[in-house]
Amino acid sequence: MLASRSMRYVVGYGPRQRGLDGLNLAATLARSSGATLDLVTVLPSDAPTFHRYSPDEAFNAEVEAQGREWLADGLARVPEGVQAEGIVRRADSITEGLLDAATDPDRGAAGLIVVGTHHRVRSGRFGMGSLADALLHASEVPVALAPSHYESQPGVTRITCAIGTRPGNEALLDAAITLAAEWQVPLRLMSLVAVGEGGREDRRQEWARLAEEHAGALVDRAVAGLPAGATVTSVVGDGESFEDAVASLDFTDSEVVLIGSSRLAQPKRLFLGQSASKIVRALEVPIIVWPRG
């Protein structure tokens, strides 16, 4: 579960805006869940090689010192009331280092890997750089993505779960119900209808009606799985494209959107399908991508 008091989140931290965005999101999530943060800086492997230009001991020590300087900066930015520890890991890639940190048997499995996305996009948008893209193809742990220049919030105020009609969404809905109960926040079920450019009005209305009926049935299931008095709503966004459908809906800076992996993903792995990728790029709030199954 993501919200146990002993839970930890692995946060990829570095010297750029991407690192700060990820830290700010992790702090927001921790304020709601009570999780502790492992700020992880991944440095190049220091294993000796037979290459003539293999880094020497002095170089490795300098790189280590730089990494610890970054972590000291990150820890100084952790908001009051959030527990965090800085960790340096050596690996052949940042992705590998974060995955190793999230599955470290000595520290227990992490509930989330939290990272910022590519920084060369306008504020509030996602630009899927190589790190986020690699994590979304390899992680067995849910991955939380912060939009560019994300500001820390007092806590999560709503979970919006992107639901579809294809098989496999049951696990995603169960995860959303669990999180909403543990974080004690409202749950909103979101369905998106993209009719295509020039789509007929009657087709749009029919698809929207079917989406509303499907979402309504899932609201009943969510209500049954949540404590009495919990708030569950549904919303349908429609437009010519998924981007238009997302833009037709309202979101707040303090909510997170839960998205499931594509059916093409390996079991317990992440993989964003084409539709989900379009939705991610249109959103301006944090996203948690849930592994298939």
Side-chain angles (χ1 to χ4, degrees):
M1 293 189 299
L2 286 184
S4 167
R5 287 290 165 180
S6 61
M7 182 54 67
R8 68 188 181 96
Y9 298 159
V10 166
V11 188
Y13 189 79
R16 298 186 178 90
Q17 180 66 41
R18 183 176 68 186
L20 181 57
D21 293 339
L23 172 57
N24 286 341
L25 173 56
T28 300
L29 299 173
R31 283 168 164 162
S32 289
S33 68
T36 61
L37 306 183
D38 283 358
L39 266 64
V40 178
T41 288
V42 182
L43 304 177
S45 174
D46 57 357
T49 71
F50 293 102
H51 195 280
R52 64 180 295 183
Y53 299 113
S54 180
D56 60 19
E57 190 172 325
F59 175 81
N60 282 326
E62 183 177 343
V63 170
E64 182 89 9
Q66 178 66 81
R68 297 202 175 278
E69 184 178 317
W70 291 339
L71 284 178
D73 174 72
L75 291 171
R77 297 173 184 268
V78 175
E80 185 176 352
V82 176
Q83 297 183 15
E85 180 179 349
I87 298 172
V88 170
R89 292 195 75 98
R90 296 277 189 165
D92 291 333
S93 70
I94 297 176
T95 302
E96 179 184 317
L98 293 179
L99 293 176
D100 288 346
T103 56
D104 187 337
D106 294 331
R107 301 184 67 82
L112 281 175
I113 297 175
V114 188
V115 295
T117 51
H118 200 268
H119 63 283
R120 292 190 180 92
V121 292
R122 68 182 178 87
S123 295
R125 291 291 186 175
F126 289 89
M128 303 296 275
S130 57
L131 172 59
D133 187 64
L135 283 172
L136 292 181
H137 282 79
S139 181
E140 298 180 8
V141 177
V143 174
L145 304 174
S148 177
H149 292 84
Y150 178 77
E151 297 290 338
S152 181
Q153 304 293 316
V156 176
T157 57
R158 182 173 66 187
I159 295 171
T160 291
C161 180
I163 57 171
T165 58
R166 292 178 177 176
N169 286 297
E170 296 83 1
L172 179 65
L173 178 60
D174 289 341
I177 292 170
T178 299
L179 290 183
E182 293 179 344
W183 295 358
Q184 299 180 15
V185 296
L187 173 61
R188 180 173 70 160
L189 305 182
M190 175 181 71
S191 186
L192 301 175
V193 175
V195 297
E197 186 175 354
R200 298 197 317 270
E201 178 62 19
D202 60 337
R203 183 172 65 176
R204 185 194 67 77
Q205 292 180 357
E206 175 64 11
W207 287 4
R209 183 186 64 79
L210 293 174
E212 288 172 357
E213 290 179 356
H214 177 65
L218 294 183
V219 165
D220 293 339
R221 176 177 166 181
V223 168
L226 286 167
T231 300
V232 184
T233 58
S234 65
V235 65
V236 175
D238 63 80
E240 291 185 355
S241 65
F242 282 114
E243 292 88 344
D244 292 337
V246 170
S248 72
L249 302 177
D250 294 326
F251 297 89
T252 65
D253 291 339
S254 55
E255 77 178 290
V256 296
V257 174
L258 198 62
I259 290 180
S261 290
S262 165
R263 292 176 301 156
L264 298 177
Q266 296 296 316
K268 297 184 179 180
R269 289 294 179 95
L270 297 179
F271 181 80
L272 278 186
Q274 185 177 17
S275 297
S277 296
K278 292 177 181 178
I279 295 170
V280 167
R281 287 179 169 83
L283 287 166
E284 299 184 9
V285 295
I287 296 164
I288 298 176
V289 184
W290 203 262
R292 175 173 171 262

